[in-house]
Amino acid sequence: MEYFAQQVINGLQLGFVYALIALGYTMVYGIVRLINFAHGDVFMIGAFIGFYTIERYHLPLALVFLSAVAGCTVLAVLIEQLAYRPLRHAPKIASLITAIGVSLFLEYFTSLRQVFGPNFYSFPRPFPVVIWEVGGILVTNIQAVILVVTVLCLLFLQFIVFRTKMGRGMRAVSYDYVTAGLMGVNVNRVISFTFGLGAALAGVGGVLYGIAYPQVNTFMGFMPGLKAFTAAVLGGIGNIPGAVLGALIMGQSETMVSAYLSSTYRDGIAFVILILVLLWKPTGILGAPRAEKV
Amino acid sequence: MRRGLSLLALVVLLVGHFPGCKSPPAKEIRIGLITPLSGDVKTFGESVKNAFEVAVEEANAKGGVAGMKIATFLVDDRNDPTEASNAANLLINQHGVKAIVGSVTSKTTIPVSDLAQSLRIPTITGTATNPKVTVADGKRKDYMFRACYTDSFQGTVMAKFARGTLNATAAAVLYDASNDYSKGIAEVFRDAFVRMGGRVTAYESYGKDDVDFSALLTKVKAAKPDVLFLPDYYNKVGLIAKQAKETGFQGALIGPDGWDSPELVKVAGDAIEGGYFSNHYSPEDTRPEVGNWVKKYKEKFQQTPDALGTLAYDATNMLLEAIRKANSADPGKIRDALASLSGFEGVTGKFTMDEHGDPIKSAVIIQIKDGKQKFLQVVNP
Amino acid sequence: MMLAIRGLTKHFGGIRAVDGVDLTLAKGELVGLIGPNGSGKTTVFNLVTGICRPDGGSILFEEKSLVGLSPHRINRLGVARTFQNIRLFRNLTVMDNVRIAHHSHLEYGPVSALCRTGRFYREEIEIQEKVENLLSIFLLQNRKYEIAGSLPYGDQRKLEIARALATEPRVLLLDEPAAGMNPNEVGKLMEFILGMRERFRLTILLIEHQMRLVMGMCQRLAVMDFGQVIARGLPDEIRENSKVIEAYLGEDVPFE
Amino acid sequence: MAESLRNLARILAAYALLAGSIVLLAATGVVNPYWVQILELACVVAISAQGLNVIYGYTGLFSLGHAAFLGIGAYTAAYLMKTVGGQSQVLFFTALLAGGGAAAVIACLIGLPALRLTSDYLGIATLGFGIIMKVVFDNADSFLPELGGARGMTGITKMTTVPWVVFFLLVSLLIVRNTIHSSYGRAIISIREDEIAAETMGIDTFRYKMVGFVMGCAFAGVAGGLYAHLYAFLHPSNFDFFKSIDILVIVVLGGLGNMSGVLVASFGWIFLLEGLRVVLPPGYVELRWVLIPVLLIVTMLLRPQGLFGTREFPFLRGRLYR
């Protein structure tokens, strides 16, 4: 029983980490319908900004987060303007390919010795780890921080999307960007804002990830990005609570497969679950069923 | 159709235009290095490249080998088997190299070894541990050599150490299922440990890009092993060790030579304290080869060399020594000299090639104490 | 009876889009289905052609039930349709749009296609001739190599009808074929539809807003509102029907 | 009949000319073995890219797991050759077909449930399948030791030669051309254009989705077999997600549903990858993978519709018959 509870906690940590990245993914997808493969790499940049601001400049934690958020936002807005905006009227797949290009570029360019370098750098912990024992189950303060931050991000996003003018613009663009433009929504601004917002989340996520798994490398972003995207799809892509739900399921299924079935086949079994869920609900768990007007 | 043909003609023209294998000037020997200079293991690839360059510079400073200056050709394999094979092909057929050092991982070195074997170019790797690098399907690739141990050697050494010296009865193993180095050593360790009367209570794997090991470690902890064997490189081991401590794991951590890097302690902190690993040499070793190498590397690159770099340095030097002995740029003669190498004094020990092209050398067990590597004992194969 | 619909029902969420509709078409008849926007006309088409599955009721085509069949099966039985919001294969040529519709009558097998046997060439030529004939009826023969999406609106409508006819149907469902046309074009279209009915011996069910067209050529009319048929009869009877006038209140006055 | 014979003669002549000239150039040393190997690789990649072109370019099915089918074909063919033994060309040919067949069978099993998904959801399902297959390849040694698992499969004979790859490339182009420019091809394309309209025009869209998907995967399987016997070593990382992405990039760069563009892009991609090795001065070797994405982004921005747009090489064009 203790073993099971401990594994649930483990799965929760993994799930909330995925959730942080998935939120950014789902935001961008929800508005522009683009699988932004570069998101994981923006997340990596966020982690590196965290690494440098702590290791080199010893900034206080709030400033660390702030600079990661600022850096990622600027980068994402730049990427959007240079690589995605010119292709807005081209088929979506063209932007997907430039997204892959941007992702590869960020990974290989930053791994040059003159930029971040190729090493695995150990990420300094800005605060000591505290382990609490609750009825034989170990919980760390890092897990608590991740949970709180993810939930705050989720609420913040829900607020932006459903309670602000910009959010209304986002929903309009998501529904039909041509009509939204005709109705006076500044589509370019909304899309830039969306990318910026997604990247800000990636910045927060990157630093938290560095704290939780204290090692950074320029190739660290892709796999978590892919898993997070998968989680977002599982929950119903474009749906904000869905992203968190999907990520939590993903985290639990990976953990439980490791714990009770076979760690060797973990990824395989986790993706079998994904495919089964998709067959049962073709647009994800919380995704609205796709209705096409005939 | 006509346009298709003219396109083909264009391609042919372009290809033909590239410099072919011009015969090198008389007093020069061409050596190639294949190493991952981009991609996920670029950091290892650069260590190897640095070491290779140090070795070649030293030799050239002394006037080259066998009266020939060494001309080097560096190619990147991105840790991809296809690219590695292409790279080896480029070195041999386009650049006309007479010998190759490389590559770094086994999955890239095996295709290189196959190609080098079929084209009869002596090749030595510093770091590829898979037995299939030198012997595959019962056939010895007699142009292929290595400077490191094979998987089976280290797996057995650590099993013996855990069972004998640490008196462990139950062991757990965590390994990377997609990494042949990790998987290879893990399997050998498990089999050897069981053969010596121990029990393997947990045998679990993770993926190349995993960073969260809590589920596995919780499982390991529940299996109550005396030792946890972690056959992987220092970056992964650091993360696992740290999380092992956070899960409250109490047993000893042990591992192979992949642990050897100052980065390990940096990532893992006191979580790795008291851990043991097998290595080629100890930094406390007083032999001049060790001191010179570490000093030179630090001067040039402002960091301590890791095991991969050190092995590549030895591999390159062994190759150069063989050329010296063969006193010829003929690949066949260089091969023969490499095969008959014995008692070669390298940084990582005294080398003698066995009939498989694998070195016979002893290993040392090192313990991490107060964040430093401390020599514990010598183990002979 | 060519087509007999009884008690057809379809719900979307809580909305009864189609609620117990009865409708019959005798062989060779031309029946109009009218009603305000959102009254469920297109949904009836979607149910008949198998795009949606009804929640209740029956659809018999030449005494065979269509309920539960997939759209392509229904088409092969002899029911073709056009769409309110034109659904051409926009990136393909006019020719290909119509050729695709011939596929269900294809005789050469995949091996013939792969090996380019004589049979393949013969039938391809046959298909081409058929398509060109059809296109010339629609006065589209000079546009056969143009991309469908680049045609003028009226031609796109015509092409969609041509494509539907290429499947060689016995019942044709036309969903607002005159939408977006000017009175002159509507006039031509009317003649055209009547001509087609003769030539291909078609039974036609027509959804239309333009009353001139409906009143001018349909033999019978059915009026839908809120998913139900509220009136049916001859055009002149419908014109007088108070329920119909009431249903159309607030909409553009249908009778000019 | 005469027309078919003339076609056959033309095809054989083209084949003899293509394969013959390359073999001749290689034999006389004008082209060294390195470039021959790259050319062979480019042909193999072109075959699998043509497969994805059928799946995504023509049928409109977003697949992110193409490399997995390459892997299935590669391991199947290599396993067959290795267990039967020998170096017979007939056996090799059979093994390649078996590789294609195995990929097709698995594609069938996956397609039956998965092709009901649409667009990006199908993409994720195929991506998931790719990852599942990678896990299977990584651990293949636990059920078939010959496959080697994560430690790689060795002991494969190098059987793939220029005549073989040119043969299969030509055959694959012919199959795609003859399918696409037939009623079956038009049925497949109509799904990409408008699935609902296609259904109501009497096209069994699910069936033709399966046809497109299975056919494309079979191409990948054959290409995988050729790959296995070209490099004589198989490692699961040859068939991971990134390799699927490579093929996707090629197909989009070439132009979705454009045989000529995809053909040129396959060669362009491989020759760019390898050509940069030769062109970059020593010391800048590591810049290769920094330049490639930049070139990729720039090309995509300049030609979002693909290199060739809708134009095709004359021999790949559809014709009207009179």
Side-chain angles (χ1 to χ4, degrees):
Chain A
M1 193 56 216
E2 259 173 39
Y3 176 74
F4 174 74
Q6 185 67 56
Q7 292 291 21
V8 170
I9 299 285
N10 294 338
L12 276 177
Q13 171 173 352
L14 194 60
F16 275 110
V17 167
Y18 286 153
L20 260 178
I21 316 172
L23 280 174
Y25 247 121
T26 219
M27 282 292 304
V28 169
Y29 188 93
I31 311 301
V32 277
R33 311 263 164 234
L34 165 69
I35 305 179
N36 182 16
F37 271 119
H39 189 74
D41 301 291
V42 172
F43 159 86
M44 172 273 288
I45 302 281
F48 264 92
I49 294 176
F51 168 71
Y52 283 115
T53 46
I54 298 175
E55 170 101 4
R56 291 258 174 89
Y57 307 110
H58 309 288
L59 293 186
L61 201 55
L63 282 182
V64 170
F65 275 108
L66 209 63
S67 29
V69 164
C72 289
T73 308
V74 170
L75 178 69
V77 171
L78 257 172
I79 295 172
E80 195 270 323
Q81 309 226 330
L82 292 176
Y84 304 152
R85 185 169 296 176
L87 293 172
R88 182 142 335 133
H89 302 285
K92 272 277 103 68
I93 183 70
S95 320
L96 182 81
I97 299 295
T98 52
I100 290 168
V102 169
S103 163
L104 287 173
F105 176 77
L106 287 178
E107 287 169 11
Y108 285 90
F109 177 72
T110 54
S111 73
L112 292 178
R113 185 63 68 195
Q114 296 79 0
V115 191
F116 295 158
N119 298 3
F120 298 89
Y121 303 95
S122 55
F123 194 99
R125 285 236 160 113
F127 51 82
V129 185
V130 183
I131 303 171
W132 299 301
E133 196 175 331
V134 189
I137 301 155
L138 302 177
V139 186
T140 65
N141 55 344
I142 291 175
Q143 286 165 339
V145 170
I146 290 173
L147 183 136
V148 170
V149 173
T150 310
V151 171
L152 285 180
C153 285
L154 170 67
L155 295 176
F156 176 67
L157 275 186
Q158 286 289 65
F159 172 77
I160 294 235
V161 173
F162 292 102
R163 293 275 184 276
T164 64
K165 189 158 172 253
M166 186 52 95
R168 203 174 336 131
M170 288 161 84
R171 280 178 288 146
V173 171
S174 154
Y175 194 74
D176 181 344
Y177 77 90
V178 179
T179 313
L182 294 175
M183 296 301 180
V185 176
N186 185 338
V187 176
N188 280 338
R189 234 185 76 211
V190 167
I191 291 183
S192 286
F193 179 82
T194 308
F195 271 93
L197 190 62
L201 289 174
V204 174
V207 176
L208 269 186
Y209 196 81
I211 294 172
Y213 309 110
Q215 190 172 66
V216 287
N217 174 267
T218 62
F219 290 91
M220 65 184 274
F222 200 89
M223 214 47 192
L226 201 62
K227 291 248 174 92
F229 176 68
T230 311
V233 172
L234 192 64
I237 188 139
N239 183 306
I240 294 169
V244 176
L245 178 67
L248 291 180
I249 293 176
M250 191 93 176
Q252 286 303 342
S253 69
E254 283 194 4
T255 305
M256 289 307 158
V257 169
S258 283
Y260 291 103
L261 296 168
S262 150
S263 55
T264 311
Y265 292 98
R266 184 201 62 187
D267 281 359
I269 297 172
F271 275 95
V272 168
I273 293 172
L274 168 91
I275 292 175
L276 291 179
V277 169
L278 278 185
L279 293 177
W280 164 57
K281 285 225 152 195
T283 50
I285 298 171
L286 296 186
R290 220 173 60 115
E292 193 177 0
K293 190 157 166 31
V294 177
Chain B
M1 192 71 233
R2 208 174 310 131
R3 215 186 304 168
L5 280 180
S6 50
L7 195 86
L8 179 80
L10 189 76
V11 169
V12 167
L13 267 173
L14 275 175
V15 170
H17 181 72
F18 289 117
C21 24
K22 293 178 220 123
S23 61
K27 291 284 174 199
E28 181 189 276
I29 181 163
R30 296 184 163 196
I31 296 180
L33 172 71
I34 303 171
T35 185
L37 291 173
S38 56
D40 56 347
V41 297
K42 178 173 162 68
T43 175
F44 305 147
E46 284 197 352
S47 293
V48 167
K49 178 189 136 211
N50 291 345
F52 175 77
E53 283 177 346
V54 169
V56 170
E57 258 170 45
E58 281 176 351
N60 271 341
K62 287 183 204 146
V65 283
M68 299 175 285
K69 278 272 176 207
I70 304 156
T72 58
F73 293 86
L74 260 60
V75 285
D76 169 30
D77 67 25
R78 204 169 55 113
N79 196 27
D80 177 290
T82 314
E83 286 208 15
S85 174
N86 293 344
N89 208 328
L90 173 83
L91 284 177
I92 300 170
N93 285 310
Q94 179 97 3
H95 295 317
V97 300
K98 301 296 177 209
I100 293 175
V101 178
S103 178
V104 172
T105 60
S106 295
K107 73 173 179 189
T108 52
T109 309
I110 292 173
V112 169
S113 71
D114 288 339
L115 198 78
Q117 178 64 27
S118 67
L119 297 173
R120 314 222 158 265
I121 295 294
T123 299
I124 182 163
T125 170
T127 48
T129 53
N130 188 333
K132 285 177 171 178
V133 168
T134 53
V135 184
D137 303 276
K139 278 198 288 285
R140 159 85 178 109
K141 303 175 204 165
D142 59 353
Y143 276 74
M144 191 67 211
F145 302 89
R146 78 176 114 214
C148 51
Y149 314 117
T150 60
D151 294 339
S152 54
F153 176 71
Q154 284 199 83
T156 317
V157 162
M158 286 319 284
K160 216 192 266 176
F161 174 75
R163 199 66 197 97
T165 315
L166 297 181
N167 230 338
T169 52
V173 182
L174 281 186
Y175 67 99
D176 179 346
S178 62
N179 176 339
D180 46 2
Y181 166 76
S182 186
K183 193 175 182 180
I185 297 182
E187 279 171 7
V188 174
F189 176 88
R190 177 192 57 189
D191 297 346
F193 194 78
V194 171
R195 209 170 42 241
M196 292 168 197
R199 284 176 303 122
V200 173
T201 50
Y203 187 73
E204 301 290 333
S205 71
Y206 48 88
K208 172 167 102 63
D209 297 292
D210 285 356
V211 289
D212 191 315
F213 307 96
S214 51
L216 297 179
L217 287 165
T218 304
K219 205 170 178 180
V220 164
K221 192 181 155 200
K224 298 194 172 59
D226 305 313
V227 292
L228 172 57
F229 185 55
L230 300 173
D232 207 337
Y233 295 116
Y234 53 82
N235 51 327
K236 272 285 146 70
V237 173
L239 279 178
I240 300 175
K242 195 151 192 143
Q243 288 174 31
K245 183 142 191 241
E246 283 161 19
T247 16
F249 179 73
Q250 303 286 345
L253 302 178
I254 58 175
D257 59 346
W259 284 31
D260 181 21
S261 167
E263 284 291 320
L264 176 61
V265 177
K266 253 192 176 168
V267 175
D270 57 351
I272 197 76
E273 188 64 24
Y276 306 91
F277 67 100
S278 59
N279 204 356
H280 310 263
Y281 71 112
S282 147
E284 293 164 70
D285 200 325
T286 48
R287 286 183 305 130
E289 285 88 355
V290 178
N292 281 344
W293 159 243
V294 174
K295 192 167 139 263
K296 202 169 267 169
Y297 196 93
K298 268 189 171 158
E299 268 168 23
K300 217 170 163 204
F301 306 107
Q302 289 81 48
Q303 53 185 340
T304 318
D306 59 9
L308 294 117
T310 310
L311 285 165
Y313 180 72
D314 276 352
T316 314
N317 276 330
M318 279 158 77
L319 177 66
L320 297 179
E321 175 67 17
I323 299 172
R324 219 170 272 136
K325 271 196 174 159
N327 199 17
S328 156
D330 178 61
K333 288 187 182 143
I334 298 173
R335 187 222 84 87
D336 294 343
L338 255 178
S340 60
L341 208 64
S342 104
F344 172 82
E345 286 280 354
V347 178
T348 62
K350 212 174 204 173
F351 289 80
T352 298
M353 280 296 169
D354 72 2
E355 73 273 26
H356 300 310
D358 303 331
I360 307 166
K361 57 174 182 177
S362 52
V364 294
I365 304 280
I366 286 175
Q367 184 175 26
I368 295 170
K369 254 198 180 142
D370 307 321
K372 295 251 170 6
Q373 298 187 0
K374 290 275 176 272
F375 170 80
L376 198 73
Q377 66 182 69
V378 177
V379 195
N380 282 308
Chain C
M1 276 303 125
M2 205 63 187
L3 188 68
I5 298 169
R6 301 238 182 276
L8 194 64
T9 304
K10 177 74 185 173
H11 305 227
F12 290 116
I15 303 158
R16 295 169 166 238
V18 173
D19 190 6
V21 166
D22 294 334
L23 201 64
T24 53
L25 273 83
K27 193 168 161 59
E29 236 185 338
L30 202 171
V31 175
L33 186 58
I34 62 173
N37 281 328
S39 56
K41 304 180 301 281
T42 297
T43 308
V44 170
F45 271 28
N46 288 345
L47 293 170
V48 172
T49 53
I51 290 170
C52 307
R53 216 193 151 102
D55 295 322
S58 67
I59 308 166
L60 294 180
F61 171 71
E62 293 178 329
E63 318 306 320
K64 285 185 292 284
S65 173
L66 298 184
V67 175
L69 296 185
S70 57
H72 71 268
R73 292 286 305 281
I74 292 173
N75 176 267
R76 284 177 195 192
L77 289 174
V79 181
R81 71 173 287 183
T82 66
F83 297 89
Q84 188 180 347
N85 48 342
I86 311 178
R87 300 187 80 118
L88 287 171
F89 305 122
R90 297 184 59 84
N91 300 312
L92 306 183
T93 60
V94 169
M95 180 89 171
D96 279 343
N97 263 278
V98 186
R99 283 205 285 189
I100 285 168
H102 184 273
H103 185 74
S104 46
H105 301 283
L106 193 72
E107 274 163 27
Y108 66 75
V111 178
S112 265
L114 279 181
C115 305
R116 289 289 189 256
T117 57
R119 188 169 173 183
F120 166 82
Y121 290 116
R122 272 198 304 281
E123 199 179 343
E124 279 289 310
I125 292 169
E126 244 171 67
I127 296 171
Q128 259 161 240
E129 281 166 357
K130 260 191 200 161
V131 169
E132 277 168 12
N133 277 337
L134 199 56
L135 287 177
S136 61
I137 297 173
F138 285 78
L139 303 175
L140 287 168
Q141 72 271 36
N142 296 327
R143 292 187 178 273
K144 63 184 174 197
Y145 299 124
E146 284 178 35
I147 299 297
S150 66
L151 292 182
Y153 191 75
D155 283 349
Q156 292 198 11
R157 285 255 174 237
K158 284 203 275 179
L159 176 56
E160 215 191 9
I161 300 172
R163 186 181 64 175
L165 284 179
T167 64
E168 299 172 21
R170 273 161 290 157
V171 169
L172 181 62
L173 311 180
L174 297 173
D175 199 343
E176 297 197 24
M181 288 187 178
N182 60 36
N184 189 17
E185 286 175 317
V186 171
K188 278 193 201 154
L189 186 74
M190 275 171 69
E191 280 171 38
F192 194 78
I193 293 175
L194 290 171
M196 261 171 14
R197 185 172 63 136
E198 289 289 296
R199 187 170 185 144
F200 297 99
R201 284 188 217 99
L202 288 171
T203 306
I204 298 177
L205 180 59
L206 178 84
I207 295 180
E208 192 45 73
H209 269 303
Q210 308 220 18
M211 284 305 140
R212 193 162 75 93
L213 186 111
V214 181
M215 294 292 166
M217 60 193 242
C218 292
Q219 292 153 320
R220 287 192 298 123
L221 290 180
V223 188
M224 280 184 76
D225 195 22
F226 292 109
Q228 292 176 326
V229 175
I230 54 167
R232 61 182 88 226
L234 302 172
D236 287 339
E237 297 168 11
I238 295 296
R239 210 191 294 268
E240 313 293 312
N241 192 309
S242 60
K243 269 200 209 160
V244 177
I245 295 168
E246 197 180 312
Y248 270 102
L249 273 182
E251 287 248 347
D252 342 342
V253 180
F255 314 113
E256 64 266 23
Chain D
M1 201 62 215
E3 174 79 11
S4 309
L5 280 178
R6 248 198 319 276
N7 273 348
L8 188 65
R10 240 180 269 154
I11 292 160
L12 286 176
Y15 171 66
L17 198 65
L18 264 173
S21 54
I22 299 168
V23 168
L24 196 73
L25 285 172
T28 52
V30 177
V31 177
N32 72 40
Y34 166 64
W35 291 106
V36 174
Q37 175 164 328
I38 302 307
L39 189 79
E40 288 168 331
L41 175 63
C43 290
V44 171
V45 168
I47 296 168
S48 73
Q50 220 52 259
L52 186 62
N53 190 26
V54 171
I55 297 174
Y56 188 30
Y58 288 114
T59 324
L61 304 169
F62 189 33
S63 168
L64 285 173
H66 203 56
F69 294 98
L70 214 71
I72 292 168
Y75 278 105
T76 308
Y79 179 75
L80 259 179
M81 281 297 278
K82 198 173 168 178
T83 43
V84 177
Q87 304 194 7
S88 129
Q89 298 292 330
V90 180
L91 176 64
F92 179 50
F93 184 71
T94 320
L96 290 177
L97 293 188
V105 169
I106 306 277
C108 253
L109 296 177
I110 291 303
L112 277 175
L115 291 187
R116 280 183 289 152
L117 299 172
T118 50
S119 67
D120 292 344
Y121 292 95
L122 177 61
I124 290 302
T126 47
L127 181 155
F129 172 71
I131 290 178
I132 294 168
M133 282 318 294
K134 169 77 164 47
V135 173
V136 171
F137 294 149
D138 268 337
N139 299 291
D141 52 335
S142 56
F143 50 87
L144 278 179
E146 289 90 343
L147 300 188
R151 308 176 76 175
M153 179 172 183
T154 55
I156 307 166
T157 323
K158 188 176 185 305
M159 296 292 290
T160 304
T161 54
V162 169
W164 275 122
V165 288
V166 174
F167 172 76
F168 276 103
L169 178 58
L170 222 58
V171 168
S172 69
L173 282 174
L174 282 174
I175 292 179
V176 179
R177 184 193 74 174
N178 289 359
T179 308
I180 289 309
H181 301 308
S182 79
S183 197
Y184 295 96
R186 294 192 288 267
I188 283 175
I189 295 175
S190 72
I191 300 170
R192 173 193 77 189
E193 289 293 309
D194 189 328
E195 199 177 328
I196 289 176
E199 265 286 325
T200 46
M201 291 307 123
I203 309 280
D204 185 346
T205 53
F206 185 75
R207 180 169 157 196
Y208 285 104
K209 275 189 197 174
M210 283 295 280
V211 168
F213 187 65
V214 170
M215 183 168 145
C217 291
F219 279 23
V222 172
L226 286 167
Y227 174 87
H229 295 90
L230 175 60
Y231 284 91
F233 174 65
L234 292 180
H235 192 271
S237 68
N238 284 327
F239 309 109
D240 64 6
F241 175 69
F242 297 95
K243 302 292 169 181
S244 295
I245 289 290
D246 281 356
I247 306 170
L248 180 71
V249 164
I250 289 171
V251 172
V252 178
L253 274 185
L256 289 170
N258 183 277
M259 285 170 255
S260 319
V262 171
L263 181 66
V264 171
S266 309
F267 280 77
W269 177 258
I270 296 298
F271 276 85
L272 173 73
L273 234 66
E274 291 296 324
L276 278 178
R277 286 185 199 284
V278 183
V279 175
L280 285 175
Y284 294 91
V285 185
E286 54 183 9
L287 288 186
R288 211 161 49 102
W289 275 90
V290 179
L291 290 175
I292 288 166
V294 173
L295 286 171
L296 178 63
I297 295 169
V298 171
T299 319
M300 215 60 245
L301 290 179
L302 295 177
R303 304 281 306 168
Q305 72 279 49
L307 291 175
F308 277 50
T310 52
R311 275 168 300 166
E312 291 274 10
F313 289 137
F315 64 99
L316 291 174
R317 256 177 230 157
R319 292 187 295 139
L320 292 176
Y321 309 101
R322 292 273 156 229

